[in-house]
């Protein structure tokens, strides 16, 4: 273990004192290293505990640095040991189309129900019932309720959703009852199912302390179990509230309201001061509790890039468009996470173009491509689908599918294209931000010079931009977010003090950091102001 920074030493002291802790750890600030320091300090005192990670890969990585006596795993692993293993025979059942499962639950094949201007088929109803169970399993609720029913594209209004819930809930409850049988059933058993069963048992997790990583994107069901342990265990939450980008799928930032001593890790070991300044623009916009300081010994340039190692996009559709552009330029292209999700979306668009309905959950209520185009162009709820319509109308679905077939594995690719959501937790030497990150619309007013007044920046968009700009180590091309330099909210507002609510221990400004800051290049905006088009904010959406 290397010599701790002042911030890491402050965290260790607070941990040794027995306090429940909330540690705001900015991008690249060494949160895993810090948690390992806490774990080693606990071991010296003969204490045992658990580190709970977001996924198995993170848990395995942590296990290589944490001492014996600290178990590293996921919440699902705990739930599997207690409950899930009884259902392992059901987990390997063959995958069935959702409508076949729905038929087994009593949803008649060929069923069609009018929902406002849309028609809900048996396939849409089956999908909604199964997704309702999933959303219930991710919640802290004890019973399935109308708010667990997912909204469907084209039928988002509350009266239509209430009507949909009346149709869906009986089948969702029937599905949940089916899942209670360890040996047999018609619904495919998933990992979230046994996690929920475990949580409903109000389990006690043994250990003197619990460390929860990525706490800013915690499902309510995990939060419920974790916070229930505070009567017997010291709880430590670590994460970055500014990277809370999965609210659209039910996750929430449990750090904000947690009762504990608040600390910060603000010195980034990933990049230098120039990039830290860019990150701080977005941290100021979301009113984050920390501001970053770059490592003065690292020179990270913020300037234009011709051939970046990674291109980060705001949406799946933006990633589609970028893959096509990079292939046309003759580069070997990898797509983070693979092309399955994009291929399914393109296939759904192809079905609609051919006059066939699709089972894709984003587009299943539309009967034709023209109907989808009208929804995207004129319904505010469908504006984020407009880039998909424009991409397909320009290139055609066959061109998109052909591009996805030409993808290269990341290990041999020249450039990796990724959504910002999939880029979270990763880093590359050089990064360009794609042009589907766009500025907010201007307000219907002008300033004293007669220029349009820029509109406010959505906090969710700012958090996504923060994740994107903090992935580079050596060089960042601001690309689609370069407009932030001319936006009134783009002042990073550096401060020499810790933000309110955080205890001291912030790194003092290194005496040589100013010189290194001058050595790190901050260019003028690398691209002209991008066109203001709507695009899907969610990684899972179009």
């Amino acid at each position: 273990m290397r010599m701790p920074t002042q911030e890491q030493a402050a965290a260790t002291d607070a941990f040794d004192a027995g306090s429940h802790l909330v540690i705001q750890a900015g991008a690249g600030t060494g949160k895993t290293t810090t948690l390992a320091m806490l774990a080693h300090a606990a071991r010296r005192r003969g204490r045992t505990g658990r580190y709970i990670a977001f996924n198995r890969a993170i848990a395995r990585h942590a296990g290589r640095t944490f001492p014996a006596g600290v178990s590293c795993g996921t919440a699902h692993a705990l739930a599997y040991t207690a409950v899930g293993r009884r259902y392992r025979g059901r987990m390997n059942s063959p995958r069935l189309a959702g409508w076949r499962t729905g038929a087994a639950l009593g949803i008649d094949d060929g069923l069609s129900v009018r929902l406002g201007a849309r028609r809900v088929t048996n396939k849409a109803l089956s999908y909604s019932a199964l997704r309702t169970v999933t959303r219930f399993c991710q919640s802290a609720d004890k019973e399935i309720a109308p708010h667990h029913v997912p909204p469907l594209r084209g039928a988002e209004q509350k009266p239509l959703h209430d009507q949909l819930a009346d149709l869906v809930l009986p089948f969702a409850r029937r599905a949940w009852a089916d899942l209670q049988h360890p040996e047999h059933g018609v619904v495919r058993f998933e990992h979230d199912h046994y996690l929920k069963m475990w949580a409903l048992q109000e389990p006690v997790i043994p250990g003197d302390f619990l460390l929860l990583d990525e706490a800013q994107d915690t499902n309510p069901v995990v939060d419920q179990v974790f916070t229930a342990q505070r009567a017997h265990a010291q709880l430590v939450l670590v994460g970055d509230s500014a990277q809370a980008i999965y609210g659209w799928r039910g996750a929430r930032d449990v750090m904000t309201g947690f009762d504990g001593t608040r600390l910060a890790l603000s010195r980034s070991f990933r990049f230098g001061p120039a990039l830290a300044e860019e990150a701080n623009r977005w941290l100021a916009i979301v009113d984050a509790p920390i501001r970053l300081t770059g490592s003065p010994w690292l020179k990270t340039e913020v300037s234009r890039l011709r051939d970046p190692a990674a291109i980060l996009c705001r949406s799946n559709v933006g990633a589609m468009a970028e893959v096509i552009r990079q292939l046309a330029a003759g580069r070997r292209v990898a797509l983070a996470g693979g092309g399955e999700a994009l291929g399914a979306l393109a296939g759904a668009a192809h079905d609609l173009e051919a006059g066939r309905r699709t089972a894709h959950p984003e587009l299943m209520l539309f009967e034709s491509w023209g109907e989808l185009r009208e929804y995207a162009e004129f319904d505010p709820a469908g504006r984020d689908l407009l880039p998909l319509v424009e991409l397909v109308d320009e290139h055609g679905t066959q061109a998109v599918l052909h591009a996805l077939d030409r993808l290269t594995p990341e290990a041999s690719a020249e450039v990796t294209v990724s959504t910002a959501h999939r880029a979270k937790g990763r880093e590359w030497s050089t990064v360009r931000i794609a042009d589907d990150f766009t500025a907010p619309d201007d307000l219907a007013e002008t300033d004293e010079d007669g220029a349009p007044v820029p509109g406010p920046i959505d906090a969710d968009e700012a958090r996504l931009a923060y994740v994107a700009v903090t992935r580079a180590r050596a060089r960042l091309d601001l690309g689609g977010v370069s407009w932030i330099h001319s936006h009134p909210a783009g002042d990073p507002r550096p401060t020499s003090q810790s933000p309110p609510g955080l205890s001291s221990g912030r790194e003092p400004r290194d005496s040589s950091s100013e010189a290194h800051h001058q050595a790190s290049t901050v260019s003028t905006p690398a691209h002209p102001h991008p066109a203001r088009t709507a695009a899907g904010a969610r990684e899972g959406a179009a």
Side-chain angles (χ1 to χ4, degrees):
M1 303 292 288
R2 61 174 173 76
M3 183 69 67
T5 65
Q6 289 185 14
E7 291 177 327
Q8 290 169 332
T12 303
D13 290 343
F15 180 71
D16 285 343
S19 303
H20 297 302
L21 303 181
V22 178
I23 303 176
Q24 289 283 349
T29 57
K31 64 174 182 174
T32 303
T33 300
T34 303
L35 290 177
M37 289 178 179
L38 303 188
H40 280 279
R43 183 189 181 187
R44 290 192 291 270
R45 292 173 176 264
R47 302 175 69 207
T48 61
R50 291 182 179 272
Y51 165 80
I52 302 175
F54 184 73
N55 58 44
R56 284 183 295 177
I58 295 174
R60 284 195 298 267
H61 175 74
R64 293 193 288 267
T65 59
F66 280 58
V70 179
S71 300
C72 297
T74 64
H76 282 88
L78 289 169
Y80 182 84
T81 300
V83 176
R85 58 185 177 181
R86 299 201 303 268
Y87 294 83
R88 59 181 176 268
R90 289 191 62 175
M91 287 186 213
N92 297 319
S93 60
R95 290 187 177 274
L96 293 176
W99 67 269
R100 291 189 181 276
T101 302
L105 293 171
I107 301 175
D108 293 335
D109 186 15
L111 174 69
S112 178
V113 180
R114 181 61 62 178
L115 196 67
R118 311 292 178 197
R119 186 164 53 89
V120 179
T121 66
N122 65 304
K123 293 183 178 180
L125 196 57
S126 299
Y127 160 80
S128 297
L130 297 175
R131 278 293 300 158
T132 296
V133 173
T134 298
R135 285 160 61 99
F136 163 67
C137 289
Q138 295 168 345
S139 76
D141 302 323
K142 293 186 177 181
E143 296 180 351
I144 295 177
H147 65 270
H148 298 130
V149 178
L152 292 179
R153 287 282 193 177
E156 295 90 345
Q157 298 91 340
K158 187 179 185 304
L160 296 180
H161 185 266
D162 290 344
Q163 184 183 344
L164 178 65
D166 289 340
L167 293 169
V168 167
L169 286 176
F171 299 108
R173 289 169 180 146
R174 195 174 300 172
W176 180 241
D178 173 90
L179 290 164
Q180 307 309 305
H181 304 290
E183 304 299 332
H184 61 85
V186 299
V187 180
R188 181 180 171 85
F189 201 93
E190 304 285 355
H191 297 286
D192 281 346
H193 297 149
Y194 65 74
L195 178 67
K196 182 63 174 181
M197 293 174 183
W198 176 64
L200 289 172
Q201 295 177 1
E202 300 182 354
V204 174
I205 303 174
D208 299 316
F209 62 89
L210 299 176
L211 311 174
L212 179 63
D213 201 356
E214 296 290 338
Q216 80 283 348
D217 276 320
T218 303
N219 280 342
V221 64
V222 175
D223 173 40
Q224 176 190 46
V225 173
F226 182 80
T227 55
Q229 313 303 313
R230 69 181 298 149
H232 76 275
Q234 181 183 11
L235 305 184
V236 178
L237 287 75
V238 63
D240 185 353
S241 290
Q243 293 191 55
I245 59 174
Y246 285 106
W248 55 271
R249 71 178 189 190
R252 65 186 183 193
D253 177 13
V254 301
M255 303 174 69
T256 303
F258 185 80
D259 182 16
T261 300
R262 297 185 175 273
L263 298 163
L265 301 176
S266 62
R267 167 62 61 84
S268 180
F269 300 98
R270 180 180 299 160
F271 44 73
L275 200 149
E277 183 175 345
E278 292 303 321
N280 287 339
R281 298 180 194 277
W282 303 102
L283 291 173
I285 291 167
V286 301
D287 196 25
I290 60 172
R291 299 293 182 270
L292 290 179
T293 302
S295 293
W297 57 86
L298 296 177
K299 179 182 179 182
T300 306
E301 296 185 357
V302 181
S303 58
R304 193 161 188 169
L305 271 170
R306 180 176 179 180
D307 297 316
I311 301 172
L312 306 186
C313 307
R314 177 181 177 272
S315 67
N316 268 333
V317 175
M320 270 189 191
E322 197 60 60
V323 165
I324 291 173
R325 281 194 289 268
Q326 294 300 310
L327 288 171
R331 303 189 78 192
R332 296 190 305 276
V333 184
L335 181 64
E340 182 177 352
L342 298 184
L345 193 60
H350 181 69
D351 287 341
L352 290 174
E353 277 189 311
R356 299 186 299 268
R357 293 190 71 135
T358 175
H360 193 286
E362 284 290 309
L363 310 178
M364 62 171 53
L365 288 192
F366 300 99
E367 299 189 32
S368 68
W369 184 250
E371 187 176 294
L372 175 62
R373 182 188 289 114
E374 180 181 3
Y375 170 78
E377 290 179 347
F378 300 109
D379 191 323
R383 287 189 67 199
D384 64 318
L385 289 176
L386 189 57
L388 171 65
V389 171
E390 293 172 343
L391 181 74
V392 170
D393 284 347
E394 179 179 355
H395 297 283
T397 53
Q398 292 297 337
V400 173
L401 291 169
H402 178 62
L404 295 176
D405 286 340
R406 296 169 57 198
L407 291 172
T408 300
E410 281 199 58
S412 56
E414 295 176 282
V415 59
T416 296
V417 176
S418 176
T419 62
H421 286 90
R422 285 196 178 274
K424 185 178 175 182
R426 300 190 60 181
E427 59 184 62
W428 291 269
S429 58
T430 58
V431 171
R432 176 166 66 80
I433 310 300
D435 288 340
D436 65 337
F437 280 87
T438 57
D441 293 335
D442 291 334
L443 300 176
E445 55 185 271
T446 58
D447 60 20
E448 61 273 12
D449 298 323
V453 175
I457 300 171
D458 180 80
D460 289 337
E461 297 295 312
R463 281 189 280 269
L464 199 61
Y466 166 69
V467 170
V469 301
T470 54
R471 300 306 99 191
R473 295 190 302 269
R475 196 170 173 188
L476 171 70
D477 184 342
L478 289 172
V481 298
S482 59
W483 52 265
I484 192 63
H485 282 202
S486 58
H487 194 282
D491 181 359
R493 288 173 283 185
T495 176
S496 59
Q497 298 177 346
S498 297
L502 296 179
S503 63
S504 61
R506 182 183 173 96
E507 288 288 297
R509 188 176 180 90
D510 189 280
S511 60
S512 61
S513 64
E514 189 63 39
H516 283 275
H517 181 82
Q518 295 298 328
S520 297
T521 304
V522 180
S523 71
T524 55
H527 295 275
H529 193 289
R532 293 189 173 112
T533 59
R538 304 179 304 173
E539 188 272 337

